[in-house]
Amino acid sequence: MTYPTQPEASHFIDGQYVEDASGTALPVIYPATGEKIADLHAATPALVDRALEAARRAQPAWAAMTGTERGRILRRAADIMRARNRELSELETRDTGKPLQETLVADATSGADALEYFGGLAATLSGEHIQLGEDFVYTRREALGVAVGIGAWNYPTQIACWKAAPALACGNTMVFKPSETTPLCALKVAEILKEAGLPDGVFNVVQGYGEVGAGLVSDVRVAKVSLTGSVPTGRKVYAAAAEGMKSVTMELGGKSPLVIFDDASLEDAVSAAINANFYSTGQICSNGTRVFVQDGIREAFLTRLAERLKAVKTGDPLDETTNFGPMVSERQREIVEGFIAKGQQEGARLVAGGGRLEGEGFWIEPTVFADVEDHMTIAREEIFGPVMSVFGFATEEEALERANATIYGLSAGVFTRDIARAHRFVAALQAGSCWINTYNLTPVEAPFGGMKMSGVGRENGRVAIEHWSQLKTVYVATGAVEAPF
Ligand code: NDP
C-alpha cells in the first residue's frame, strides 16, 4: 500500500533518496488516529557507511567555498521552506501529532529562521590577527569535519535545522539521524537544501533506531556529535564520543521550575504555565513543569487555570482550531500514565485531567496536580507529557533553593513585577535559559542549552559557531631563527 505521506525512500544520501528494504522495518504512525502513514526501513551498516563516506568526500570542497557562497545556499533554503510552510507543517503534524495551529508557526518557520540566521553569519566567520613586534599570529576558524546530528521526536524539522544550519555554515558536512518515531520531516529538509543548491553529500539523512545512532557516534570519520534527546541517551552518546575525543553538543532533558510571586500578573502567569506545560502536549524539553506559586495567590492561580483549561480543544490536529494534540506514541502515553498514577499514589492532589481521551490515537487529558511535594516522583523526574505540578512556597529564598534542587538545569522562569527581584532571582538560578515574565520563547538569535545534567554546549545565537568550528593558530616569523646551539 502507498500512503500520501510515504517518502520517495527512507534515506537521503549523497544528494538522492536511497532505499534498502533489508533494513529493519520502521512503520510510521499518525498519533492522532494510530493509523500507519508510511513504511520506512532502518539503515543497514552499508548505508550508514555510504552516508559517512559521502559526507567525508564532500567536506573539503564545501569548506573551501566562501562563507558568502555557503550562506547563500542556506538562505535560499530558508526561503523555500517558508514558501512551503503549509505543506511542511501538515507533514510535521502527521509525523508528530502536534496541532497544525502550532506547526504552522513553530516548526518549519523556526527551521527557516536558523537557516537564514546562520546563512547570514557564514560570511562573517573569521579569525584574528595578533601583532607581536614584527612577528605576528593569525587564527583561522576552520570546520571540524564530518558531524553527526541525532534528533528527538518532538520537533523533527526544527532539530534538523538547528543542527544543520550552524554546522553547514561553518563548512562541516552532516549525517543526521532522526528519531525513529518521527522520521519524515528531516528528509524534506534534505530535499529543500538540495533544491537550494547544496552540493551532494553535504547533508545526509539516515533512519534507524538507537543502534544506528550509536554506530554513527563511534565512527572514526566523525569529528562532532550533536544530540537532542534524554539524559540517559546523552550519557551514552557523550561517553562514546569521548572515546574518539570528539567534540559534542548535548541538548538533553529538564525538570524546569516556573516561579510565580504573588505580585505577578496572574493572567500572564497562568498563560505562561499553560504554554510551559501543554504546548506540544507537554513534549518540550524546556517545559516549566514545576510550577511554584507563592502562597498568597495559589488558590486564585488554580481557579483561573481550571477556567482556562475549559478552552482546550482536541480533535483533528489538521483542523486549525484544534489547540491540543495527542502524545507522539502509545509508548509515550503509557510512560505519562505511569507518572500520573505515581503522583496519585504518592499523595499529590489531582485537580484536572489524569485520564485518556475517547477515541483512536494516543490522547491524554491535560493534567494538573496541586499540593505536590519536592520528594515525589512527579516533582523529580522528567515526564515529557501534559502534566503540570503545582507547588506552594512562602519566601524568595525558599523558592530559589527548591527551584535549584534538581539534577537538571535546562530552563527556568520567574514571574514578578519587582524588577530587582527578577534579576536577582535569575542570576541565582542554575539553568541555561531563563525567562522573566514569559516562558519558552527560543528565538534563533538567543543561545539555548542546559547546565548541570541538561547538557553541554549551546545551540543558536552567535556562540553556536564556537561549537561547530575550531581555531588554528598560525605564528608567522619575520626575522632570523634563534637556537641555543
Ligand atoms: P531519546 O534520548 O530516547 O532519543 C534521542 C535520539 O537518540 C533518538 O534519535 C534515538 O534513537 C537516539 N539514540 C538512542 N540511543 C542511542 C545511542 N545509544 N546512541 C546514539 N543515539 C541513540 O529521546 P526521545 O526521542 O525520547 O526525546 C525525548 C527527550 O529529548 C526528552 O528527554 C527531552 O527533554 C529531550 N529533548 C531535549 C531538547 C533540548 O534541546 N534540550 C529538545 C527536545 C527534546 P531512537 O529514537 O531510534 O531510539
Side-chain angles (χ1 to χ4, degrees), residues 180-191:
E180 97 276 355
T181 312
T182 54
L184 301 178
C185 299
L187 293 169
K188 288 287 163 198
V189 174
E191 236 182 67

Side-chain angles (χ1 to χ4, degrees), residues 94-370:
R94 290 193 167 93
D95 217 4
T96 62
K98 293 186 293 181
L100 189 59
Q101 187 187 93
E102 287 187 19
T103 55
L104 280 170
V105 297
D107 293 282
T109 52
S110 164
D113 283 355
L115 290 163
E116 186 169 16
Y117 178 81
F118 288 106
L121 274 187
T124 73
L125 304 182
S126 63
E128 62 177 335
H129 169 102
I130 305 153
Q131 196 67 41
L132 298 163
E134 304 230 315
D135 289 0
F136 62 95
V137 162
Y138 66 93
T139 59
R140 292 165 47 90
R141 186 161 288 284
E142 297 186 351
L144 294 162
V146 175
V148 161
I150 300 178
W153 39 256
N154 57 346
Y155 279 77
T157 306
Q158 185 191 85
I159 291 171
C161 292
W162 282 19
K163 297 190 189 309
L168 272 45
C170 292
N172 305 286
T173 54
M174 178 170 271
V175 178
F176 184 81
K177 190 201 86 67
S179 164
E180 97 276 355
T181 312
T182 54
L184 301 178
C185 299
L187 293 169
K188 288 287 163 198
V189 174
E191 236 182 67
I192 287 168
L193 281 164
K194 181 177 168 95
E195 189 184 331
L198 193 74
D200 292 349
V202 174
F203 181 71
N204 309 275
V205 177
V206 293
Q207 308 292 350
Y209 296 85
E211 80 268 8
V212 170
L216 288 168
V217 171
S218 56
D219 194 280
V220 290
R221 286 165 286 194
V222 173
K224 157 93 195 188
V225 177
S226 177
L227 170 82
T228 296
S230 61
V231 169
T233 303
R235 271 207 184 99
K236 284 189 235 162
V237 171
Y238 199 177
E243 276 295 310
M245 213 56 81
K246 301 176 203 291
S247 150
V248 299
T249 301
M250 295 280 143
E251 291 292 351
L252 309 177
K255 189 74 195 175
S256 302
L258 168 57
V259 178
I260 299 165
F261 286 97
D262 56 16
D263 67 341
S265 154
L266 185 68
E267 199 62 16
D268 288 333
V270 171
S271 297
I274 288 170
N275 291 338
N277 284 274
F278 302 131
Y279 200 74
S280 300
T281 318
Q283 302 164 114
I284 298 184
C285 51
S286 51
N287 269 357
T289 49
R290 292 187 294 140
V291 181
F292 292 90
V293 188
Q294 204 164 12
D295 293 339
I297 57 162
R298 200 163 62 260
E299 281 316 313
F301 174 89
L302 287 168
T303 304
R304 187 65 189 129
L305 180 63
E307 283 165 15
R308 296 275 297 271
L309 281 172
K310 290 184 193 137
V312 169
K313 186 168 180 298
T314 56
D316 179 3
L318 291 161
D319 173 346
E320 275 182 58
T321 64
T322 297
N323 59 24
F324 186 78
M327 301 304 302
V328 77
S329 65
E330 180 67 65
R331 181 170 158 263
Q332 192 60 23
R333 176 165 71 173
E334 283 166 7
I335 291 171
V336 174
E337 286 174 335
F339 278 109
I340 293 172
K342 262 251 147 63
Q344 289 176 293
Q345 282 159 23
E346 293 180 6
R349 179 163 59 102
L350 184 68
V351 293
R356 290 188 173 192
L357 286 159
E358 288 296 312
E360 302 301 313
F362 316 130
W363 297 85
I364 194 163
E365 292 175 308
T367 298
V368 181
F369 280 105

Side-chain angles (χ1 to χ4, degrees), residues 450-467:
M451 293 180 177
K452 293 157 67 177
M453 291 301 283
S454 291
V456 177
R458 292 291 176 270
E459 294 195 305
N460 292 343
R462 273 175 201 278
V463 71
I465 297 300
E466 301 284 335
H467 300 284

Side-chain angles (χ1 to χ4, degrees), residues 10-11 13 19-20 22-24 26 40-49 51 177 205-209 211-212:
S10 298
H11 320 284
I13 299 172
E19 192 58 272
D20 181 348
S22 69
T24 313
L26 209 153
L40 272 63
H41 295 275
T44 56
L47 281 188
V48 170
D49 181 67
K177 190 201 86 67
V205 177
V206 293
Q207 308 292 350
Y209 296 85
E211 80 268 8
V212 170

Side-chain angles (χ1 to χ4, degrees), residues 256-258 286 400 404 409-414 422-443 446-449 451 458:
S256 302
L258 168 57
S286 51
L400 182 63
N404 283 337
L410 190 56
S411 307
V414 55
H423 294 290
R424 183 171 67 231
F425 201 79
V426 290
L429 282 169
Q430 297 162 354
S433 293
C434 296
W435 291 277
I436 295 175
N437 293 333
T438 187
Y439 205 85
N440 259 353
L441 298 180
T442 54
F448 180 80
M451 293 180 177
R458 292 291 176 270

